Amino acid sequence: MTDRVEVFRALHRRPAPDDPLILPGPWDAASARALEAAGYPALATPSAGVAASLGYEDGRTPAEEMFAAVARIVRAVDVPVSADVEGGYGLAPTELVERLLEAGAVGCNLEDSEEGVLKDPRRHADWLAEVCAAAGDRLFVNARVDTFIRGVAEPERVIERAALYVAAGADCVYPIGAPVDVLPLLRAGIQGPVNAIAKVGEGPSPLELGERGATRITFGPYLQRRAAEGIAGLLR
């Protein structure tokens, strides 16, 4: 398990700024196997995609079902898998870490908003510090910053939150919904890797996002949604 975490951590040390780590998001075991077969060195589950596969609205998946889904995905592949576990489901930091490790995840996404409202950044940083302390070097923590999707457009607010989260021990910062033209400013103001989201078949490509400053690229639920659209097209 430690070897997988180290492999995953090393993948974030990119040889060039325009060569981002691309982490597609499986929503079940079958999609995970397909992505591994396509040659990707690691995967990152999307909570919304997993929720859809289980018949839930985004943000409404019970913790037990989410961890079980992550465990099935991890068992299906040999590459490292990071898990989006939303806001941590109200679990104490130690329990959250243990549940992730039991599922076999090498990392996690953790959001800084709840029910559509941004959390107090300092209290959230304190909670993140407890998670990181419990995890030690066993998990790669990706701290999602939700300011842009919660109506706060100033990049400075992202950078302020990112500084707190990195100081708390986060390994990566994820300013979800950041406009492409703001990425260079965020890259300059944030220490460590920066995660950006790419849509499938529209908008900036992963390469373009890397050139703007993204260290790693994830796709949220867009791969799962495109797959569902493909099935609908075949049926038509």
Side-chain angles (χ1 to χ4, degrees):
M1 180 64 186
T2 302
D3 290 344
R4 281 193 180 189
V5 177
E6 289 309 312
V7 167
F8 189 69
R9 198 178 300 279
L11 287 171
H12 289 77
R13 297 192 283 270
R14 309 308 295 163
D18 59 351
D19 179 32
L21 172 62
I22 299 175
L23 296 174
W27 53 94
D28 59 13
S31 61
R33 288 194 180 108
L35 294 171
E36 181 184 39
Y40 290 97
L43 307 174
T45 68
S47 61
V50 174
S53 75
L54 297 174
Y56 293 102
E57 295 294 322
D58 184 21
R60 298 293 181 233
T61 308
E64 292 293 333
E65 295 198 43
M66 183 62 77
F67 286 114
V70 170
R72 287 192 293 271
I73 289 168
V74 170
R75 286 198 302 269
V77 296
D78 291 324
V79 296
V81 178
S82 183
D84 183 346
V85 288
E86 304 176 306
Y89 307 110
L91 299 173
T94 300
E95 183 179 358
L96 175 61
V97 167
E98 291 308 316
R99 296 294 298 275
L100 284 161
L101 294 174
E102 286 171 7
V106 299
C108 61
N109 277 15
L110 293 169
E111 305 169 3
D112 70 348
S113 66
E114 186 174 13
E115 299 293 336
V117 178
L118 287 166
K119 297 178 181 178
D120 177 270
R122 294 191 179 279
R123 283 202 293 269
H124 184 63
D126 289 342
W127 179 78
L128 276 178
E130 293 184 51
V131 172
C132 293
D137 61 358
R138 299 178 295 170
L139 288 173
F140 186 97
V141 176
N142 188 29
R144 203 178 90 174
V145 181
D146 290 358
T147 51
F148 288 115
I149 64 171
R150 302 305 177 205
V152 179
E154 296 89 350
E156 294 77 13
R157 302 290 84 78
V158 174
I159 293 170
E160 288 170 1
R161 285 175 176 258
L164 290 170
Y165 303 163
V166 170
D171 299 288
C172 185
V173 175
Y174 179 16
I176 187 171
V180 177
D181 59 355
V182 174
L183 277 176
L185 177 61
L186 299 181
R187 170 69 281 166
I190 294 174
Q191 293 185 355
V194 174
N195 191 148
I197 190 169
K199 295 187 177 181
V200 180
E202 63 178 281
S205 69
L207 176 59
E208 290 169 323
L209 291 170
E211 290 172 340
R212 292 297 187 104
T215 312
R216 81 180 209 176
I217 309 297
T218 52
F219 297 89
Y222 294 115
L223 285 172
Q224 183 271 329
R225 291 174 183 173
R226 178 58 66 90
E229 291 168 4
I231 292 170
L234 288 171
L235 294 174
R236 285 194 296 271

